[in-house]
Amino acid sequence: MEFKVLGPLGASVPLPSAAQPRRVLAVLLARPNEFVHRDTLVDELWPQDPPSSAAAVVQMAVSKLRKALSPGLPVDDVRQRLRSGGGGYRLTVSEGELDATGFSGLTAAAATATSVERRALLERALGLWRGKAFADVPAGPLVEAHRLWLEEQRCSVLGRLVELELAAGDHKAVADRLAPELVTRPGDERFAGWYAEALHGLGRRDAALAVLGRCRQALWEHAGVSPGEDLLAVHRRIAGTGWSVGGPPCGLPPATPDFAGRAGELAEVGRALRTPAPVVLHGAAGAGKSALAVQAAWRMRKRFPDGQLVADLRESGDVLAGFLRTLGLAEAELPADRAGLISLWQSHTADRRLLVILENARSEAEVRPLLPSGPGCGTIVTTRRRLAGLVGARPVEVGALSSGESRVLLGAIAGEHRLSAEPDAVRRVLACCDGLALAVRVAGMKLLQRPRLSVAEFAARLENERLRLDELAAGDLAVRPVLAEVVTALSLRQRNSLRLLTFPGSTEIADWFATALLGCSSREAAELLDELVDDHLLHTEPDQAGFLRYRLPGLVRLALREPPDPGALRRALTVMAGLAEHAVAALGAEYPPTRRSDVPAAASDRVAADPSGWRAAETANLALAVRTAKSYGWTQLTARLADAYSDLVGPRNGGSPAWLGFGIVRDRLDLPAEGEKLLKLGDSHADAGDLARARTCFSLAEARFRTSGDQRGTGSALVALADVDADSGRTHSAVDALREALDLLRDSGDLTGQAMASAQFGSLWDDLGDFRRAKECFDASLLLSLHCEDGQQHDRSAKRYADVLRRHGRLDEAGELLTSALTGTRTSRERHWEAHVLRSLGDLHAKTGDSGESERCLSRSLELFEHVGHRHAVAYTHRSFGESLRLAGEHVRAGEHLTLAMSTFRELGDRRGGGYALLSFGRLRAAEGIATEAAEGLRTAAGLFRELGFPMWELRALQDLSAVDSGGRQRDRAREALTKIRFGVTPA
């Protein structure tokens, strides 16, 4: 039998066609007559992540091989070629059956034969090769290693044969034998030298030198080395002259040894240099463009074996002439005119593979003549501008270093051990460097220069903005001169624009604010801003509201050293006040409010489209605007900004800026205006669920109105106080306040106030168990609201009345009132009250069994309340959602909503809302058959309503409690609640 591996795998018998048996046979032939363990075969077939069935697959492959190699023989037959044992398999191969063994035998015999016999034996040995060893078998680690070993043996035999043929003067045989070898091994110096000598012997000197040149180029491209002494000697014999070993010109400066980060940029440059298109590294002054270019050039150097040329375009002198001299041209060969130099440069680079680095380019026109023309050339340009006019260029932005990259660079310079001792101080230092590579490097050099200076002390110096640029200097390496050069190079218009954009304390500003600061049309402002962005003096990105936001880098701002222009600042803050007021109006409306004439139309429309996004983006700047206007003494503007800020974020979240408007009217001793501010602040606190702060504001407002003799204002404050007191369980105070409010509002002729107070009185009487009085109050409220200037109060009264009617089973009447109220709130675009009406409609539909319509109404109500940021109302809607889902039998979802409601009520301190949620939660647990939790929840709810003074709600909780717990004091407490309902708890 014969086995062949010196080429495609073969045998004298038909082999299985499947891949796995052939791969197993290849391993066994690589180790003939040896036991190969099954694990070795598994590793060969599956070098990574073998399947769980690997051993079984190997066994099946071995079985197929046995049938092919020893057909008809049992497994344990002594004549069986493929035998098992010791956890593996052994293939018996006799002498003369394997071509690789025959190759080795012929090679060994040639070593002791005469020269003539040796040549014949070596030719016979090479004749056994039919191609690459194991050519058609996918190789694992073992077969691949054996394949490489066989290839090395073949090359060794080929070399010995070529030496014999050269010694015999048979140059044609050598040339024919080595020509195909050099196609696959162009950098093999031995083969190239022999091939060149053979060609030279045949009289083909130029072809011989070309072979040597290709080998030299391959060595440089693939290994970055020059030819060895043996190949140099061959070149000298053929060419008659020496062959320079210095290599092509390399003008690259040393790569920065502590270079850090920029992995993404380096990869992008590497990909871009595969084409002749110039790579434009653009970024701010001091961003590290040159260091990145040099680092990339050293990494890519092997791709450009004809040399690397570097020029700084800021320096004087003819760059083209310098490049051509470097490439070996004599001075006499250089044309005197510019056009001639360009033409010579293009022709001289057409067939070369050069890398050209052009640093500090200022324009496209400066770069174009210096671009090499050859398709194998590459160009890297560093510039502060984007050079968008450079056709086909691949731009790569060199932006700010990330915090991690900055930390690595600082540690590489100053010493990691020093920084690890003061991590907080290191973060402060890096924050002052603003991601500018030059600033980080200078900071590191400064710390290295002064080993006794603590990082914390250095950070404190840098945090003083007046000293920062002075501190960022070490030797002749400094940040200030670099930034000063940039500012000096700007046009007068650009410098003035940058000066105007320095809004004190702000980290970034929107495009509309920048336009207002510049005091020109939006088109002119956009052009100016784009120029500054292109020069990397401004950074820009869109915010969530769709506005472009501009950020002036902190170090550039310090380099300008220009005070803000008060006129431009006031102009911009006035626009901000108008947009903030527009956002307030948009937040409370179903449809966008009317476009304002005092702000840019485009900005007005974008704010109206997404007021929440505008609020999120501008909250910090709006607070800063309030303080800035106050510091300049612009009282009216400060009041506008403060009021809008308070309306947008609420007094609880707004801090001191939200109270500045109140401070202004207080300083003017305007008590009615002060009372109005306090009422507004109290409403904001109440919407946020902060009843304690709301009550304080309403009490202060009442005092201001009383002192000034304002009956209408006093009545309004008392109505607001009564609402908070009712929610807090102060029912006596609420009743007294509402009675006095009605008298004051009646005397002042305020119909809207009377209607509001009457409706509130109606809800309170129902909570106290007096439906007759509640109905009388609601009838009066609805009648009064018909004579008000608008129908908004009628809709609010109808909503409150419908809730009471629903609880008393009068569902049709409640439905009519809510339908009318929903139409009214949508017509008046009162999003907040529309949400309240929808919640009541959801409760009504749940009561009638229409769970689908209930969920639709409650989902929309929840969406509206969340949109306007009314957390308190959101919690009540979650409670209604839980009750509706409980009635629909969706207990899991009901529990989720009730848990959210109870959590919010607990956080806000709303005991009344907590009682409602606990009542629904107890009912839910009762429906689920969890009697213990149901009783606990209902008992707690009844106790809360008892403490708050709401006997009707206490009785409802006790009725549900009796159904799950027949013991306890429910009966006695029920009698007490009924007594309170029957005889009242407040004076008539």
Side-chain angles (χ1 to χ4, degrees):
M1 184 175 291
E2 293 182 356
F3 294 102
K4 296 181 179 181
V5 298
L6 303 180
L9 182 66
S12 56
V13 296
L15 295 175
S17 60
Q20 303 296 30
R22 295 176 64 82
R23 294 183 69 184
V24 170
L25 179 60
V27 177
L28 296 174
L29 289 173
R31 292 185 178 180
N33 302 312
E34 297 180 20
F35 272 102
V36 180
H37 199 277
R38 186 185 297 111
D39 290 346
T40 302
L41 292 172
V42 170
D43 291 341
E44 178 72 14
L45 269 59
W46 299 279
Q48 294 180 345
D49 300 325
S52 59
S53 61
V57 173
V58 169
Q59 288 177 345
M60 292 176 61
V62 169
S63 176
K64 290 181 180 180
L65 284 175
R66 281 199 183 106
K67 292 177 182 178
L69 300 177
S70 304
L73 292 179
V75 174
D76 55 353
D77 194 295
V78 293
R79 294 170 296 170
Q80 178 63 253
R81 277 186 176 271
L82 184 51
R83 301 181 65 85
S84 303
Y89 308 95
R90 176 179 182 271
L91 178 64
T92 302
V93 180
S94 301
E95 185 176 353
E97 290 186 333
L98 181 61
D99 58 355
T101 306
F103 172 76
S104 300
L106 290 170
T107 302
T112 58
T114 63
S115 59
V116 176
E117 293 175 341
R118 185 182 306 134
R119 179 174 176 179
L121 289 169
L122 293 175
E123 286 180 339
R124 282 179 59 196
L126 290 175
L128 295 174
W129 285 78
R130 298 168 292 110
K132 189 177 180 181
F134 299 100
D136 60 345
V137 179
L142 191 150
V143 172
E144 181 62 26
H146 192 58
R147 174 191 288 170
L148 292 174
W149 180 81
L150 288 171
E151 179 64 21
E152 288 298 320
Q153 296 302 307
R154 188 191 71 82
C155 289
S156 175
V157 170
L158 178 60
R160 289 158 62 184
L161 179 58
V162 165
E163 287 178 330
L164 289 173
E165 290 174 336
L166 283 175
D170 194 349
H171 297 124
K172 185 176 185 308
V174 173
D176 291 343
R177 200 178 297 282
L178 291 181
E181 296 291 336
L182 265 297
V183 172
T184 57
R185 302 165 67 96
D188 191 311
E189 293 187 68
R190 288 193 313 150
F191 285 178
W194 289 331
Y195 187 33
E197 288 187 359
L199 291 172
H200 185 54
L202 293 172
R204 299 170 60 187
R205 179 176 179 273
D206 290 344
L209 291 175
V211 168
L212 296 176
R214 286 195 296 272
C215 182
R216 181 191 190 196
Q217 181 172 335
L219 288 170
W220 180 256
E221 287 183 359
H222 299 298
V225 298
S226 298
E229 188 57 43
D230 290 343
L231 201 65
L232 293 174
V234 173
H235 183 272
R236 280 193 296 269
R237 285 197 298 272
I238 297 174
T241 60
W243 199 6
S244 170
V245 297
C250 178
L252 295 177
T256 306
D258 49 21
F259 186 87
R262 303 295 189 195
E265 291 89 340
L266 282 170
E268 194 171 353
V269 173
R271 288 191 296 270
L273 283 177
R274 292 172 183 157
T275 70
V279 182
V280 178
L281 300 181
H282 61 92
K289 302 181 293 295
S290 295
L292 175 61
V294 171
Q295 192 77 17
W298 277 108
R299 295 189 180 192
M300 303 296 116
R301 182 169 174 249
K302 294 177 184 178
R303 296 186 188 175
F304 305 98
D306 293 324
Q308 302 83 42
L309 307 178
V310 181
D312 188 340
L313 301 187
R314 292 177 303 184
E315 298 177 357
S316 57
D318 195 320
V319 173
L320 277 181
F323 280 172
L324 291 168
R325 292 190 196 99
T326 303
L327 292 177
L329 273 73
E331 193 68 35
E333 297 178 273
L334 300 180
D337 62 307
R338 178 74 173 169
L341 279 174
I342 294 173
S343 177
L344 183 60
W345 167 249
Q346 291 175 345
S347 63
H348 212 64
T349 58
D351 297 319
R352 292 177 183 260
R353 299 181 67 182
L354 286 170
L355 176 61
V356 177
I357 299 181
L358 305 173
E359 294 205 71
N360 299 302
R362 286 158 291 198
S363 67
E364 295 90 340
E366 189 179 36
V367 171
R368 288 191 188 99
L370 305 177
L371 298 176
S373 61
C377 295
T379 309
I380 301 177
V381 182
T382 68
T383 174
R384 288 203 319 271
R385 301 186 66 248
R386 298 178 187 272
L387 301 186
L390 205 58
V391 177
R394 304 291 183 87
V396 177
E397 183 171 1
V398 185
L401 291 172
S402 68
S403 57
E405 291 174 331
S406 299
R407 176 66 177 75
V408 171
L409 177 57
L410 190 68
I413 300 171
E416 188 60 37
H417 65 285
R418 186 173 180 186
L419 301 188
S420 60
E422 300 180 77
D424 291 336
V426 169
R427 283 191 287 271
R428 292 163 56 200
V429 168
L430 294 178
C432 293
C433 294
D434 204 20
L436 191 70
L438 175 62
V440 177
R441 179 167 295 282
V442 172
M445 295 299 296
K446 189 69 169 282
L447 289 170
L448 184 65
Q449 179 186 21
R450 300 183 180 177
R452 287 180 295 277
L453 177 67
S454 72
V455 182
E457 183 181 351
F458 184 46
R461 294 182 185 181
L462 290 178
E463 286 169 341
N464 185 336
E465 290 193 346
R466 291 179 298 176
L467 303 177
R468 185 175 301 169
L469 292 180
D470 294 329
E471 288 293 332
L472 288 175
D476 64 351
L477 194 65
V479 174
R480 187 190 293 278
V482 173
L483 297 180
E485 181 182 351
V486 173
V487 173
T488 303
L490 295 174
S491 67
L492 180 61
R493 186 178 76 153
Q494 289 175 324
R495 277 201 304 275
N496 288 337
S497 299
L498 272 183
R499 178 177 65 86
L500 289 171
L501 294 174
T502 55
F503 179 25
S506 176
T507 57
E508 57 181 27
I509 56 176
D511 54 357
W512 55 265
F513 194 87
T515 300
L517 283 171
L518 294 173
C520 56
S521 69
S522 57
R523 181 177 178 181
E524 291 174 320
E527 290 177 356
L528 274 170
L529 294 168
D530 286 344
E531 289 176 8
L532 296 172
V533 170
D534 287 343
D535 284 342
H536 293 278
L537 292 168
L538 278 182
H539 301 314
T540 182
E541 61 181 11
D543 62 22
Q544 64 188 51
F547 294 103
L548 282 178
R549 302 193 74 78
Y550 295 93
R551 182 174 69 84
L552 184 66
L555 295 174
V556 175
R557 177 174 52 80
L558 296 179
L560 288 170
R561 294 182 298 180
E562 296 282 356
D565 178 1
L569 196 55
R570 183 165 191 169
R571 182 170 60 239
L573 293 183
T574 301
V575 173
M576 178 177 275
L579 283 176
E581 291 163 351
H582 198 51
V584 172
L587 280 170
E590 173 67 22
Y591 305 100
T594 305
R595 181 185 290 173
R596 296 176 65 104
S597 60
D598 57 341
V599 296
S604 175
D605 291 344
R606 282 188 289 178
V607 168
D610 184 13
S612 297
W614 190 89
R615 174 178 60 187
E618 293 296 345
T619 293
N621 276 348
L622 191 53
L624 179 61
V626 176
R627 298 189 186 97
T628 303
K630 179 73 163 56
S631 67
Y632 276 90
W634 300 328
T635 304
Q636 185 176 358
L637 182 56
T638 302
R640 286 184 64 194
L641 288 165
D643 288 348
Y645 178 74
S646 177
D647 290 339
L648 284 172
V649 303
R652 186 175 187 181
N653 301 318
S656 58
W659 288 87
L660 275 177
F662 173 74
I664 290 171
V665 297
R666 184 179 56 192
D667 294 341
R668 292 203 305 252
L669 300 179
D670 187 345
L671 291 178
E674 196 175 335
E676 292 292 345
K677 296 282 186 188
L678 286 165
L679 273 181
K680 195 172 185 180
L681 289 170
D683 287 336
S684 297
H685 283 306
D687 286 346
D690 193 340
L691 301 184
R693 283 197 173 101
R695 193 177 196 286
T696 300
C697 290
F698 294 146
S699 297
L700 292 171
E702 179 202 354
R704 302 299 192 275
F705 287 128
R706 284 191 189 280
T707 303
S708 63
D710 186 337
Q711 288 184 317
R712 188 202 62 79
T714 305
S716 298
L718 286 170
V719 171
L721 270 172
D723 199 21
V724 173
D725 284 342
D727 280 343
S728 304
R730 300 185 182 93
T731 51
H732 288 80
S733 299
V735 170
D736 291 341
L738 286 173
R739 281 177 171 163
E740 184 181 1
L742 280 170
D743 291 339
L744 292 170
L745 294 168
R746 188 182 301 112
D747 292 343
S748 64
D750 185 351
L751 295 178
T752 301
Q754 293 176 65
M756 184 188 304
S758 296
Q760 195 162 307
F761 228 151
S763 296
L764 181 57
W765 282 125
D766 183 65
D767 285 338
L768 294 173
D770 195 335
F771 178 67
R772 181 185 59 77
R773 283 182 174 174
K775 184 179 183 305
E776 290 173 355
C777 288
F778 279 121
D779 289 340
S781 177
L782 291 173
L783 184 60
L784 286 166
S785 62
L786 290 175
H787 299 281
C788 296
E789 293 182 1
D790 56 50
Q792 294 178 6
Q793 183 54 48
H794 184 277
D795 299 329
R796 297 172 186 179
S797 298
K799 184 268 177 198
R800 286 178 177 269
Y801 193 14
D803 288 340
V804 171
L805 291 171
R806 170 179 53 80
R807 285 194 287 266
H808 288 274
R810 298 166 67 168
L811 304 183
D812 291 341
E813 295 175 66
E816 291 176 6
L817 287 172
L818 288 175
T819 301
S820 171
L822 183 62
T823 302
T825 54
R826 285 179 173 171
T827 302
S828 60
R829 299 181 179 180
E830 286 190 290
R831 181 175 294 183
H832 174 255
W833 272 97
E834 180 188 346
H836 278 295
V837 174
L838 284 168
R839 186 177 72 210
S840 294
L841 274 170
D843 291 336
L844 180 64
H845 287 303
K847 189 77 171 177
T848 61
D850 190 347
S851 58
E853 190 64 20
S854 174
E855 180 161 351
R856 189 188 68 80
C857 292
L858 291 173
S859 296
R860 178 58 177 160
S861 173
L862 196 61
E863 178 185 341
L864 291 174
F865 279 137
E866 287 175 341
H867 182 73
V868 298
H870 196 330
R871 289 186 66 214
H872 200 206
V874 165
Y876 272 95
T877 306
H878 277 302
R879 183 261 172 183
S880 292
F881 231 139
E883 183 70 11
S884 174
L885 291 168
R886 178 188 71 81
L887 293 172
E890 295 190 45
H891 295 162
V892 176
R893 292 180 61 203
E896 293 172 355
H897 282 282
L898 291 174
T899 300
L900 281 172
M902 287 190 292
S903 170
T904 306
F905 286 136
R906 189 181 306 114
E907 181 184 343
L908 298 176
D910 183 354
R911 301 175 70 209
R912 183 182 190 179
Y916 293 152
L918 274 171
L919 177 59
S920 294
F921 189 77
R923 290 170 174 171
L924 174 64
R925 288 295 180 254
E928 293 174 321
I930 309 175
T932 304
E933 291 188 25
E936 182 181 352
L938 293 169
R939 191 176 295 113
T940 306
L944 272 173
F945 291 133
R946 183 183 182 84
E947 293 174 14
L948 293 170
F950 296 142
M952 181 60 75
W953 285 100
E954 180 188 0
L955 184 59
R956 290 174 180 140
L958 290 172
Q959 287 172 337
D960 289 319
L961 180 59
S962 297
V964 294
D965 183 7
S966 58
R969 297 181 54 203
Q970 288 89 278
R971 188 176 303 167
D972 294 339
R973 290 186 176 176
R975 289 198 193 97
E976 293 176 24
L978 286 170
T979 301
K980 292 177 183 177
I981 294 169
R982 184 175 302 162
F983 298 106
V985 292
T986 57

